[in-house]
């Protein structure tokens, strides 16, 4: 078994957002960002639409956080269908804007295409995108000058700024994977390519994540693997998540949401489920939680309070005790 990696002493938390689709959504998003930033997350990631459809909107949200907050923004990037030149230009655009954290994803086939079609472009995997991000950054900033302690005005050559590159992990298997072993080999290859963080696809039971991490460590993966969870606040949202991810329906959660009745009762059920899941993950050794927010702040912050990662309750008057009852 590989040596256990070094993780922060205290579990971290982070959030995922998506770009706004209207003016009203933009105002609501920036209000949520202010609340999420106040909780001091490790980072906030922003999704990237299929085939770059939201590039400008994603970059606007990322640069807003970079210029107005102290929280590290993380850019999602996909490479499907891109040439090396196109992908390199996109990476440089984000780096030039000051973004140094990325979630590297291959991306899904374009609408109307299947895995059997020729759609990949020059980059066939997330691992190749990881390598390209590192290469572009090294070419852009091979070194920099740092101060020499005790010698005012003196400078020394240092390595250029490093980038943080996260990749996706799939506790219940990637839809295109033939086996658990293939999933683990792919994750290990991403780390070998230079990835230094993994964030999981959604799942609904703690043992799915914990057993996956145990197998990943035995396979030699050493980077942090953050569990990605979402407060599922309605039956409609749960069914949509299942449709998008291909995960099996969590019967216990589905029944609880059905029995809850009205929207507010379903909301309480979803938050309580996420708190129970998050608590089990942290008790099992997870190094933190990554929360998919649906661009809302109240439910994710209620989950963090419920699992004990957000201590200053008085700082967040918008959260009511009913949120975590």
């Amino acid at each position: 078994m590989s040596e256990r990696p070094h993780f922060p002493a205290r579990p971290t938390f982070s959030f995922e957002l998506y770009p706004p689709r209207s003016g009203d959504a933009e105002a609501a998003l920036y209000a949520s960002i202010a609340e999420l930033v106040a909780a001091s997350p490790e980072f906030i990631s922003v999704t990237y639409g299929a085939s770059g459809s939201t590039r400008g909107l994603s970059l606007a949200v990322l640069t807003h956080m970079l210029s107005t907050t102290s929280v590290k923004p993380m850019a999602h990037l996909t490479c499907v269908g891109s040439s090396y030149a196109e992908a390199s230009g996109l990476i440089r655009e984000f780096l030039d804007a000051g973004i140094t954290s990325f979630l590297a994803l291959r991306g899904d086939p374009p609408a109307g295409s299947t895995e059997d079609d020729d759609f990949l472009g020059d980059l066939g995997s997330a691992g190749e995108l990881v390598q390209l991000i590192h290469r572009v950054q090294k070419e852009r900033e091979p070194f920099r000058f740092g101060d020499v302690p005790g010698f005012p005005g003196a400078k020394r050559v240092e390595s250029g700024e490093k980038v943080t590159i996260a990749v996706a992990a799939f506790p219940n298997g990637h839809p295109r994977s033939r086996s658990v072993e293939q999933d683990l080999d792919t994750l290990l290859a991403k780390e070998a390519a230079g990835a230094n963080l993994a964030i999981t696809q959604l799942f609904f039971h703690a043992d799915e994540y914990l057993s996956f991490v145990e197998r990943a460590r035995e396979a030699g993966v050493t980077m942090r693997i953050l569990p990605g969870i979402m407060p599922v606040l309605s039956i409609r949202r749960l069914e949509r998540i299942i449709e998008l991810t291909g995960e099996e329906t969590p019967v216990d959660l589905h029944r609880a949401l059905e029995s809850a009745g009205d929207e507010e009762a379903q909301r309480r059920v979803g938050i309580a489920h996420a708190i129970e899941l998050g608590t089990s993950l942290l008790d099992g050794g997870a190094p933190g939680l990554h929360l998919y927010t649906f661009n809302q702040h109240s439910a994710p912050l209620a989950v963090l309070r419920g699992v004990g990662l957000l201590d200053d309750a008085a700082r967040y008057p918008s959260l009511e005790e009913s949120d975590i009852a």
Side-chain angles (χ1 to χ4, degrees):
M1 183 179 298
S2 62
E3 183 180 351
R4 182 178 177 84
H6 174 72
F7 296 153
R10 177 178 172 82
T12 65
F13 59 88
S14 50
F15 304 110
E16 177 185 291
L17 304 170
Y18 56 80
R21 300 187 176 99
S22 67
D24 290 343
E26 181 179 12
L29 172 61
Y30 286 131
S32 284
I33 287 175
E35 294 283 345
L36 296 174
V37 165
S40 299
E42 180 185 7
F43 61 86
I44 297 178
S45 70
V46 180
T47 64
Y48 184 78
S51 301
S53 58
T54 64
R55 184 185 70 181
L57 294 172
S58 298
L59 186 56
V61 176
L62 291 160
T63 54
H64 167 81
M65 286 192 287
L66 193 64
S67 63
T68 64
T69 80
S70 59
V71 172
K72 178 180 291 188
M74 175 180 285
H76 291 215
L77 286 182
T78 61
C79 61
V80 65
S82 298
S83 66
Y84 282 115
E86 290 168 338
S88 297
L90 176 64
I91 294 165
R92 183 174 289 276
E93 179 182 7
F94 278 75
L95 287 168
D96 287 346
I99 308 302
T100 57
S101 293
F102 299 91
L103 175 58
L105 306 164
R106 192 204 71 163
D108 296 323
S113 300
T114 70
E115 290 294 334
D116 296 325
D117 297 329
D118 183 15
F119 64 86
L120 284 176
D122 290 339
L123 298 167
S125 68
E128 292 179 40
L129 179 58
V130 170
Q131 291 177 315
L132 185 60
I133 293 171
H134 280 298
R135 188 180 310 138
V136 171
Q137 172 63 346
K138 287 179 180 178
E139 291 172 353
R140 177 179 169 275
E141 188 181 355
F143 62 87
R144 60 185 175 182
F145 294 102
D147 295 329
V148 179
F151 296 89
K155 299 290 182 180
R156 63 183 174 192
V157 175
E158 298 176 342
S159 298
E161 184 175 4
K162 302 297 183 182
V163 288
T164 297
I165 306 180
V167 291
F170 299 86
N172 291 322
H174 192 283
R176 295 187 299 273
S177 176
R178 296 186 299 272
S179 66
V180 173
E181 288 72 23
Q182 182 181 4
D183 284 317
L184 295 175
D185 286 345
T186 299
L187 186 59
L188 192 59
K190 292 176 183 178
E191 183 171 22
N196 38 41
L197 177 66
I199 302 173
T200 75
Q201 170 83 289
L202 284 173
F203 57 91
F204 298 100
H205 300 98
D207 61 344
E208 295 168 342
Y209 165 85
L210 296 173
S211 61
F212 173 76
V213 171
E214 183 178 0
R215 293 194 302 270
R217 298 293 177 234
E218 291 173 349
V221 176
T222 64
M223 60 185 166
R224 276 192 301 161
I225 304 175
L226 290 177
I229 67 174
M230 176 191 291
V232 181
L233 307 183
S234 68
I235 292 178
R236 183 175 62 179
R237 180 175 294 182
L238 175 60
E239 292 174 345
R240 179 59 174 160
I241 291 169
I242 297 302
E243 178 185 348
L244 291 173
T245 64
E247 292 291 314
E248 293 186 7
T249 299
V251 176
D252 52 346
L253 177 57
H254 192 274
R255 287 175 177 170
L257 289 169
E258 277 188 322
S259 301
D262 62 30
E263 291 182 1
E264 181 55 32
Q266 289 185 34
R267 183 176 187 276
R268 288 196 296 269
V269 166
I271 291 174
H273 177 272
I275 289 173
E276 181 180 2
L277 175 59
T279 299
S280 296
L281 292 168
L282 295 172
D283 288 346
L289 301 176
H290 182 70
L291 287 100
Y292 298 101
T293 70
F294 259 79
N295 285 13
Q296 299 171 6
H297 63 271
S298 181
L301 293 177
V303 171
L304 291 178
R305 289 178 63 198
V307 301
L309 292 184
L310 195 61
D311 300 325
D312 188 3
R315 174 67 181 80
Y316 302 93
S318 61
L319 297 180
E320 301 177 358
E321 288 302 321
S322 60
D323 286 338
I324 57 174

